[in-house]
Amino acid sequence: MSDVQTLMDMGFPKERVEYALQQQQQEEEVEVEERRLKTMRPSSSGGGGGGATDAVAKSLKCDDCGKVLKDQTEVEYHAAKTGHSNFSESTEEKKALTEDEKKAQLAMIEEKLKQKRIEREEREKVDALERERNRIRSGKDMIEARRRMEEIEMKKIVDQRKREKEEEKAARDRVRAQIEADKAARKAREQPAQQQQQLSDAVASVSSTTTATSPTGGVKQPPREYTETRIQVRLQDGSTLASEFNVKEPLSAVRVFIQVKTGIETPFALMTSFPRKIFADDDYEKPLEVLGLVPSAVIIMTKPAA
């Protein structure tokens, strides 16, 4: 498996892997060039005399291309430049360079090193510019992502509020329908009772005329039992509402009636002026007849107690 594939399997992007390997290879070439340049510069020590002519290794040879190399520095340079990896010792002596050839080669190597340094500096400038662009782009992407998240959250809040309003409207519609249904059922039940009451009133009237001259004319009539009461509500703006309720209904039915008719959602309280009384929370569960609001009453809408 190649180095590129190995680094890609570790999670690095292919472009960055190839760029890093190329930069590493170029740095190795520069390092080899510098070592070679040091070996080619004239040293302070003088050259030695001739030696024995035994069959000893005098150079190194590339088995891939056959090129004769003087020392290990040239081997490293040749391997880095060509990619060859097979080398062996050779008895062939590499021809020494003349002073002019050495100077020319030194100048060429120095020029290559200079050019490679310039290229490396240019690459570093380009990399720095690209990193800055990526940083700016990442910042913009983060701002855009935050804006989209805020839009999504705002949409959720709006949708939730819309659902709540729809549920409140549906609840008011159900209460209104229930009130109308209760009224219709109450009227249907009370029609026979009203007819019976009218007959009873006629009988009582006849009885009162027949007993007007008797000594016992001061006998009190039994109290009348009411099934309905008429409630008049005075709103905070001075207007009034009026409706009939069953005497068995709780005071909360009057409050629901006010909310349905006016659409008021803010809390409010109810009170009577004669006698002055502000109804407490537990009073709203009591029937109207228990609260003394029969056969009719005037209720005032007011602010809730602090």
Side-chain angles (χ1 to χ4, degrees):
M1 182 181 295
S2 64
D3 295 338
V4 175
Q5 188 62 38
T6 301
L7 292 171
M8 288 175 62
D9 293 341
M10 294 172 64
F12 295 98
K14 183 179 179 180
E15 294 79 6
R16 300 298 299 173
V17 170
E18 292 178 348
Y19 174 77
L21 292 177
Q22 182 181 4
Q23 189 173 9
Q24 181 181 3
Q25 183 178 1
Q26 291 176 351
E27 291 177 355
E28 290 176 355
E29 291 179 0
V30 170
E31 185 178 355
V32 172
E33 291 278 3
E34 289 177 348
R35 287 202 299 269
R36 185 181 178 192
L37 181 62
K38 289 179 181 179
T39 58
M40 294 185 65
R41 287 189 177 125
S43 60
S44 59
S45 59
T53 60
D54 297 336
V56 295
K58 297 181 180 180
S59 62
L60 297 170
K61 186 176 183 179
C62 176
D63 297 335
D64 294 329
C65 64
K67 184 175 182 178
V68 178
L69 306 169
K70 181 179 179 181
D71 52 20
Q72 186 65 26
T73 303
E74 291 189 359
V75 170
E76 293 177 358
Y77 174 77
H78 182 75
K81 186 175 182 181
T82 62
H84 297 167
S85 59
N86 298 316
F87 300 92
S88 61
E89 294 180 345
S90 175
T91 58
E92 183 180 354
E93 184 176 5
K94 185 178 180 181
K95 182 180 178 181
L97 298 176
T98 64
E99 291 298 326
D100 293 337
E101 290 175 342
K102 287 183 179 180
K103 291 180 180 179
Q105 194 164 4
L106 282 172
M108 181 183 65
I109 294 175
E110 289 178 349
E111 182 63 25
K112 285 184 179 180
L113 289 175
K114 181 179 179 181
Q115 185 64 29
K116 288 185 180 296
R117 291 192 189 98
I118 294 174
E119 291 176 356
R120 183 173 59 189
E121 292 175 356
E122 291 295 329
R123 286 197 305 272
E124 290 175 353
K125 290 180 180 179
V126 172
D127 290 343
L129 182 61
E130 184 64 23
R131 285 195 299 271
E132 180 64 17
R133 288 176 179 173
N134 291 335
R135 185 186 66 80
I136 295 174
R137 189 181 302 113
S138 299
K140 291 182 178 179
D141 292 342
M142 186 174 297
I143 293 173
E144 180 64 20
R146 187 181 297 113
R147 186 185 64 80
R148 287 198 298 267
M149 289 296 296
E150 290 176 353
E151 289 180 353
I152 293 173
E153 291 298 326
M154 183 60 67
K155 187 176 183 299
K156 288 181 179 179
I157 293 173
V158 171
D159 293 342
Q160 179 66 22
R161 184 57 182 164
K162 183 177 179 181
R163 285 195 299 270
E164 290 176 356
K165 288 186 176 180
E166 290 176 353
E167 292 173 358
E168 291 175 0
K169 183 178 181 299
R172 288 196 298 269
D173 292 341
R174 287 195 298 270
V175 171
R176 187 183 295 109
Q178 185 63 39
I179 291 174
E180 296 298 331
D182 292 343
K183 286 184 178 180
R186 192 163 58 243
K187 288 181 179 180
R189 289 194 307 268
E190 292 175 356
Q191 281 181 354
Q194 289 177 353
Q195 294 175 358
Q196 183 65 32
Q197 184 65 35
Q198 291 174 358
L199 181 59
S200 299
D201 291 344
V203 172
S205 177
V206 172
S207 298
S208 63
T209 55
T210 55
T211 59
T213 57
S214 64
T216 60
V219 177
K220 295 182 179 180
Q221 296 293 331
R224 180 179 175 181
E225 294 183 359
Y226 295 93
T227 58
E228 286 190 347
T229 179
R230 180 173 179 81
I231 301 297
Q232 183 179 9
V233 181
R234 187 179 303 163
L235 304 179
Q236 290 177 324
D237 60 359
S239 59
T240 58
L241 296 173
S243 182
E244 294 182 353
F245 296 87
N246 192 290
V247 297
K248 301 296 184 182
E249 287 187 272
L251 182 60
S252 58
V254 179
R255 181 167 58 183
V256 172
F257 167 74
I258 297 173
Q259 290 175 335
V260 170
K261 290 296 184 180
T262 62
I264 296 175
E265 298 182 0
T266 56
F268 60 88
L270 299 177
M271 62 174 288
T272 58
S273 58
F274 299 104
R276 180 177 178 82
K277 176 183 179 181
I278 298 178
F279 294 106
D281 292 340
D282 55 348
D283 290 334
Y284 289 92
E285 303 302 325
K286 296 178 181 179
L288 297 176
E289 62 180 358
V290 174
L291 296 173
L293 302 177
V294 178
S296 64
V298 176
I299 295 178
I300 302 174
M301 180 180 173
T302 183
K303 294 182 180 179

